[in-house]
Amino acid sequence: MSRNDEVARRLEEFADLLEAQGVEYKPNAYRRAAENVREYPEPIEALAKAGEDAVAEIDRVGDAIAAKIVEYVQTGGIEELDELREELPVDMGALTSVSGVGPKTVGTLYEELSITTLEELEAAAEAGEIREVKGFGAKTEENILDNIPFARKSQQRSRLGNARPVADDLLATLRESSAVETAETAGSIRRWRETVGDVDVLVASADGPAVLEAFAEWDAVDAVIESGTSKGSVRADGMRVDLRVVDPDEFGSALQYFTGSKDHNVHLRNLAIDRGLKMNEYGVFDVSDVDDPDAGQRVGERIAGETEAEMYDALDLPLVPPELREDRGEIEAAQSGDLPELVEPDDLRGDLHTHTDWSDGRDDIETMVAAAAERGYDYYAVTDHAAGPGVFGNAGLSDGEIREQADAVASVAEDVDLELFHGIEANIDSDGVVTTDDDVLAELDLVIASPHSALDQTGETATQRLCRAIEHPHVDVIGHPTGRIINSRPGLDVDVSRVVEAAADHGVALEVNANPARLDLADEPIRRCVETGVPIVVNTDAHSPGEFDYLRYGVHTARRGWAEAADVLNTWEGSAIRSFLES
Ligand code: DGT
Ligand code: CA
Ligand code: CA
Ligand code: ZN
């Protein structure tokens, strides 16, 4: 985790604690400052060394916040924050992970009932104490009880979007050590699962102790959980990180084994046994002439293990990409030569869902488009929010503003070297009505319709809602179709087969929103699209250029859904996109 990220988190904690105490405005000032510190391209330490005035140069960072940032960088703490923590000794993260419970509620429940943990919240709700608090009622209490199991589960697994940068940072650190021959992620993070239980990292080296020393010195370490000569575990950024060191000759077999999933490995191991082979983290061994194959781990003649490809090859299989290793038919597909040729990040030619400061984005059209051109995209769509249900304040564009923006986009288009589409992210109301005027939609290159309100619908209501939006003649894409937020809210509980069928019937693409808090659609519904021939579109929904980097999360999620390049709309050429949008 970068230092900027670390500082941003402290500011966000500050915001939550102030909000819990009923302070107005200030919390949002802290949150906006946090966002800009996080995105600031230079390390915050450098600015802090130059003093408060230098720090206050960051957009939205005023003098008071700048002073706190300098204090943090210099001393490793912020006195005022420590005081707030003492006044309000609550597990804010756990409590606010309950849908419907924000910092303000946490503050009230602490004042009235001394609730500090998820367990205490649950007990109070079960005892009927929450309904007695002013401003709360039986319904709120019931909602809290309903949402606690989901919150509890979410506390145990981290979002890929939080874990992946931590893993990348560790890999970079390890690769600097001369003792490290190869370093790779393993486990669920290498399979790009949307949440991970821990971060697994594997190193090939002849010098385990030296690698573990480098691990212990990694600057993200908050606490050492275990430490040995060939493996260790630490806590970093709230996550457990496991590191294993293996002999370079056994790196392939260890990588294969520790990448999992467990079900995939069990299936493979059974195939091996059928062939008189033994497969484990040390290699593949021919045990057909061995009396007791279980006598040890390294028995018989070793036929594979240095590379992962060798491991699969020993079973006459092509290498199965990590994203597919869930025992969902990938081994059968590998056996029959039907593994998909998965989409690659470089196959993506453009982003078709992005925001500007016309709605709730941070930057203007020119800045966003220039950054997209810089990335080498062939095309790019500006799709700000239309006003409508679930879009708050004045973030959404009126019909008139959409028309005005069309001119602004057209004038930017003249000066750039990529094809620019002007679209809108319209809203699907609770009945499935797209609330922007049809005549306005008809004038646009691209219409994304997204659900932003009533995201707790289930069953027929939820399914019909999306199907109705799909049937709308001007809708091209359904944005983040379920509206879920990973670890925070489950989103619309729809019948995926029916939604995908409706999309097939009406030539509508379904989005894979690459924001790692969303990853919506998820892997299994994506596979449904792929099987049915409904194009998916991997979009970042970026609200600033930094968020273009979310793309990889979307692409790897699409890979987990068995998508090939041709299945992904925004790998197509610009002309093919035009035809799709116009049809
Ligand atoms: P997670 O951490 O819950 O997100 O999921 P994983 O898949 O990363 O699981 P983890 O960290 O417990 O173990 C990493 C890999 O090690 C796992 O994917 C497969 C392998 N592994 C661990 N325990 C077993 C086991 O008992 N049998 C087999 N075949 N493989 C195992
Ligand atoms: Ca793991
Ligand atoms: Ca692990
Ligand atoms: Zn959006």
Side-chain angles (χ1 to χ4, degrees):
M1 184 180 31
S2 78
R3 217 58 203 293
N4 296 40
D5 222 23
E6 202 178 303
V7 168
R9 268 168 210 238
R10 296 302 177 278
L11 297 177
E12 282 161 353
E13 189 185 349
F14 226 108
D16 285 348
L17 288 168
L18 289 172
E19 191 178 332
Q21 295 198 331
V23 177
E24 292 192 63
Y25 310 115
K26 245 181 161 180
N28 279 333
Y30 274 85
R31 289 196 184 103
R32 279 194 297 264
E35 188 184 330
N36 287 325
V37 167
R38 182 171 282 122
E39 292 233 342
Y40 197 75
E42 311 294 331
I44 193 81
E45 301 95 297
L47 284 187
K49 268 207 194 94
E52 283 171 33
D53 291 348
V55 176
E57 289 291 300
I58 300 177
D59 214 20
R60 307 264 199 181
V61 173
D63 294 344
I65 297 181
K68 295 192 175 71
I69 294 175
V70 171
E71 181 188 349
Y72 182 74
V73 172
Q74 283 176 352
T75 69
I78 303 172
E79 213 171 304
E80 213 178 306
L81 179 60
D82 290 339
E83 283 164 18
L84 281 172
R85 283 170 174 165
E86 251 172 63
E87 286 166 31
L88 209 72
V90 296
D91 188 348
M92 185 67 83
L95 291 168
T96 54
S97 72
V98 179
S99 180
V101 176
K104 191 85 192 282
T105 304
V106 170
T108 310
L109 292 176
Y110 178 72
E111 282 288 303
E112 301 293 327
L113 302 170
S114 305
I115 290 171
T116 61
T117 64
L118 213 49
E119 285 63 42
E120 288 168 5
L121 180 68
E122 187 170 37
E126 276 170 351
E129 288 168 11
I130 289 175
R131 67 179 73 192
E132 304 298 334
V133 176
K134 189 161 169 281
F136 293 73
K139 185 87 184 78
T140 314
E141 187 175 83
E142 210 175 291
N143 271 339
I144 288 177
L145 265 184
D146 285 350
N147 289 325
I148 282 178
F150 183 84
R152 185 163 282 138
K153 214 171 90 207
S154 74
Q155 283 298 297
Q156 292 158 3
R157 301 185 64 81
S158 304
R159 283 183 197 154
L160 180 65
N162 296 341
R164 190 76 223 185
V166 172
D168 288 341
D169 190 56
L170 175 57
L171 291 178
T173 300
L174 292 170
R175 285 168 185 161
E176 277 170 20
S177 159
S178 57
V180 172
E181 221 168 86
T182 316
E184 237 356 297
T185 55
S188 51
I189 195 164
R190 182 160 182 250
R191 305 197 309 278
W192 295 80
R193 257 190 84 172
E194 63 190 34
T195 60
V196 303
D198 62 6
V199 173
D200 297 296
V201 169
L202 192 67
V203 168
S205 169
D207 187 353
V211 176
L212 279 139
E213 199 170 309
F215 185 40
E217 283 166 10
W218 175 36
D219 55 17
V221 173
D222 290 326
V224 175
I225 301 169
E226 276 172 45
S227 181
T229 53
S230 66
K231 60 184 200 177
S233 299
V234 301
R235 189 150 287 282
D237 199 8
M239 278 169 284
R240 182 189 171 101
V241 182
D242 285 348
L243 177 95
R244 270 192 189 75
V245 185
V246 300
D247 191 276
D249 286 343
E250 294 181 340
F251 185 71
S253 47
L255 185 61
Q256 198 290 317
Y257 180 87
F258 290 110
T259 297
S261 69
K262 200 173 159 190
D263 290 347
H264 174 87
N265 286 352
V266 167
H267 192 156
L268 279 187
R269 205 156 50 228
N270 287 332
L271 290 185
I273 292 168
D274 290 345
R275 295 165 165 245
L277 302 173
K278 181 183 172 88
M279 181 174 196
N280 60 26
E281 60 187 285
Y282 308 104
V284 176
F285 303 86
D286 184 344
V287 290
S288 48
D289 294 330
V290 177
D291 290 337
D292 181 7
D294 298 324
Q297 297 287 7
R298 300 175 177 92
V299 288
E301 187 198 348
R302 186 169 190 262
I303 59 173
E306 191 171 351
T307 69
E308 216 178 23
E310 263 175 41
M311 296 292 289
Y312 285 91
D313 193 47
L315 301 176
D316 288 321
L317 297 176
L319 180 85
V320 177
E323 294 93 330
L324 297 186
R325 299 183 195 172
E326 301 289 350
D327 199 24
R328 293 178 185 158
E330 73 281 5
I331 294 175
E332 291 82 351
Q335 284 175 315
S336 59
D338 295 320
L339 274 182
E341 207 171 295
L342 298 178
V343 59
E344 305 273 351
D346 284 348
D347 294 332
L348 277 284
R349 294 174 190 253
D351 204 328
L352 296 176
H353 178 173
T354 69
H355 295 268
T356 73
D357 59 3
W358 281 64
S359 65
D360 59 351
R362 198 192 64 182
D363 299 284
D364 57 21
I365 302 173
E366 287 85 347
T367 306
M368 292 300 281
V369 172
E374 177 86 0
R375 288 179 85 93
Y377 282 153
D378 293 349
Y379 44 78
Y380 182 81
V382 174
T383 59
D384 275 308
H385 285 287
V391 175
F392 298 107
N394 51 7
L397 305 191
S398 66
D399 293 352
E401 286 166 331
I402 295 171
R403 290 194 160 113
E404 233 179 89
Q405 194 189 36
D407 296 332
V409 169
S411 95
V412 172
E414 285 170 13
D415 303 324
V416 289
D417 193 21
L418 53 66
E419 190 167 3
L420 208 49
F421 297 115
H422 181 225
I424 196 77
E425 182 177 15
N427 304 289
I428 306 172
D429 80 3
S430 56
D431 294 324
V433 175
V434 177
T435 60
T436 303
D437 194 81
D438 280 6
D439 294 340
V440 176
L441 296 181
E443 293 164 15
L444 294 163
D445 297 323
L446 163 67
V447 175
I448 300 174
S450 307
H452 287 118
S453 60
L455 295 169
D456 53 359
Q457 290 175 334
T458 58
E460 199 54 26
T461 320
T463 303
Q464 291 250 17
R465 176 186 187 182
L466 289 194
C467 289
R468 189 164 174 201
I470 287 168
E471 288 160 16
H472 188 294
H474 297 315
V475 168
D476 302 301
V477 174
I478 302 294
H480 50 71
T482 75
R484 74 163 177 169
I485 299 292
I486 295 173
N487 281 355
S488 163
R489 81 176 169 232
L492 297 173
D493 180 20
V494 297
D495 180 338
V496 172
S497 316
R498 279 178 51 208
V499 170
V500 171
E501 251 164 59
D505 289 347
H506 292 86
V508 165
L510 299 182
E511 182 175 78
V512 177
N513 192 295
N515 184 315
R518 292 189 181 273
L519 298 178
D520 180 14
L521 295 175
D523 50 7
E524 292 190 272
I526 292 169
R527 192 158 170 201
R528 211 54 222 217
C529 292
V530 168
E531 285 166 357
T532 315
V534 167
I536 55 169
V537 46
V538 180
N539 290 323
T540 66
D541 198 355
H543 286 64
S544 63
E547 293 181 359
F548 290 154
D549 289 336
Y550 288 160
L551 193 73
R552 61 180 180 154
Y553 298 111
V555 173
H556 287 280
T557 299
R559 287 166 64 89
R560 286 181 59 84
W562 293 52
E564 302 195 335
D567 301 316
V568 181
L569 187 72
N570 47 333
T571 67
W572 303 0
E573 286 183 17
S575 57
I577 301 269
R578 279 257 177 230
S579 322
F580 176 84
L581 296 176
E582 282 162 13
S583 68

